[in-house]
Amino acid sequence: QVQLVESGGGLVQAGESLRLSCAASGSILGISVMGWYRQAPGNQRDLVATVSRGGHTNYADSVKGRFTISRDNAKKTVSLQMNSLKPEDTAVYYCNADVTRFDGRLNTYWGQGTQVTVSS
């Protein structure tokens, strides 16, 4: 089994910062891409940012210049530093990882989600 556990969500005011973290554990041989997605009420789940094992990053246009994704391959963690938060960033944020397990299977896993609320 593989588990992703997120932490760091909360309630902040517009303009403030939050840092989300996600730790992967379990039967993990390797992780290729790790990322963050978010889902606001009534909306689909959208990509926020991804980072490859080699450190290549990709961001949604709406967060470029404000959010920074990073990962620690040895610790199997991924983080999202969110600065200059806006009310429209309010959503449940989900961690995501493409994992190769010890049995050779490749699957995509999701965390349970963490709520981020930005008040105006």
Side-chain angles (χ1 to χ4, degrees):
Q1 280 287 36
V2 174
Q3 294 180 329
L4 301 180
V5 179
E6 300 126 337
S7 61
L11 171 63
V12 297
Q13 293 187 332
E16 293 184 340
S17 299
L18 274 178
R19 185 176 180 87
L20 305 182
S21 296
C22 172
S25 63
S27 179
I28 299 172
L29 178 63
I31 304 175
S32 54
V33 179
M34 302 186 81
W36 291 93
Y37 290 71
R38 66 187 181 187
Q39 186 168 18
N43 290 357
Q44 65 183 16
R45 190 174 297 186
D46 293 324
L47 179 145
V48 176
T50 61
V51 57
S52 70
R53 183 173 179 81
H56 182 267
T57 58
N58 180 50
Y59 294 93
D61 288 343
S62 59
V63 306
K64 284 180 180 177
R66 299 187 298 123
F67 291 10
T68 302
I69 190 170
S70 60
R71 66 186 280 177
D72 185 322
N73 291 329
K75 295 181 178 179
K76 300 183 182 67
T77 59
V78 62
S79 297
L80 185 70
Q81 178 66 40
M82 304 184 294
N83 298 330
S84 302
L85 282 161
K86 304 175 181 180
E88 51 263 44
D89 294 317
T90 295
V92 177
Y93 284 69
Y94 296 90
C95 175
N96 167 281
D98 292 335
V99 175
T100 300
R101 304 186 326 194
F102 284 121
D103 62 7
R105 293 184 178 182
L106 174 63
N107 290 102
T108 297
Y109 293 90
W110 293 90
Q112 79 283 359
T114 185
Q115 178 70 46
V116 172
T117 302
V118 184
S119 63
S120 58

